Amino acid sequence: MTTALAPHTAEPRARFLDLAAAEWLKLWSLRSTGWSLLVAALTVLAFNVGKAWDNVRYWPDEPGYAEKFIADGIPLMHAFTTDASTVMMLATGAFGALAVTGECSTGLIRTTFAAVPARRSVMAAKVCVVAAVMTVFGAIVTAVSFAATQAILSTEDAGVSLDHPGAPRLVVASALLAPVAALVGAALGTLIRHGAGAVVGSVLLLLLLPLVLGEDRHWSAVLAHAMPYVAWMRLGDSPYDPGAVPYPWTAVGAWTVYALWALAAAAVAVTTVHRRDQ
């Protein structure tokens, strides 16, 4: 007597939205996620608001100073300072790195890939979630910073509105620093697979390397202009004078740097995980 075998039913492939939902739950199930974002946001705001408040506190009693202050583009410099941008890139680069390496260090990544063998799909979902969270984070922090700093400067009639020339570009560029840096951190996380190493790598690549690249020589200037931090400085420089620098470049070029870094980092994060042992 033979027993008929039940036909084998292939397990359905995981839908991308389901993978994204799973990555979302994994990210927000950690208490450290919310707290780390809150601390980073408050630190960025503290640098910006503190700078604006310091200017108002020691405001000179000079006729026409407010008009000169605005004409020189200083309100926009205070809306998002270089110190704040440094903190933003440090925090979000580390966030992206740890979002990847956290699973590697605990071994949870093996369980994830055992449940969903499509590694690229899993990593693509993780990258999308990290990029989305960081974009919202950057937008909120930048919007609050702009509103707070200009409100403080307005007490001396030196604040500007969002429709001021250069203000929309500065706000968008500052907000997008967060997802760009986070994606770079995630890419380094997939390559290094060690939390501390990936965080240090993101600091070296995003912040220290631009410091050693001067703009007084052609090739050094080309390399410097290819860095996200220098691109942000170009986009935030509202009264930009091409004649004041040896090798001027355009805002379009700076936006292109943003896009290429984000796309390249996402591609590295998705592709390098395919055949690597975890």
Side-chain angles (χ1 to χ4, degrees), residues 64-189:
Y65 184 77
E67 290 77 7
K68 184 177 182 299
F69 191 85
I70 294 174
D72 291 340
I74 302 177
L76 295 185
M77 295 180 190
H78 292 349
F80 212 88
T81 65
T82 54
D83 289 337
S85 68
T86 300
V87 173
M88 175 80 90
M89 297 187 78
L90 277 172
T92 55
F95 183 92
L98 296 177
V100 173
T101 59
E103 282 193 87
C104 296
S105 61
T106 61
L108 180 61
I109 194 69
R110 298 188 184 93
T111 304
T112 299
F113 287 155
V116 184
R119 295 184 175 190
R120 289 177 179 171
S121 298
V122 172
M123 189 55 63
K126 187 183 293 291
V127 164
C128 288
V129 169
V130 169
V133 170
M134 288 292 96
T135 300
V136 174
F137 171 78
I140 292 174
V141 172
T142 306
V144 172
S145 177
F146 184 88
T149 54
Q150 301 316 302
I152 293 172
L153 293 174
S154 292
T155 60
E156 297 291 346
D157 297 324
V160 298
S161 61
L162 190 55
D163 60 357
H164 185 78
R169 188 176 67 191
L170 170 68
V171 170
V172 174
S174 300
L176 291 181
L177 263 183
V180 171
L183 289 174
V184 172
L188 291 172

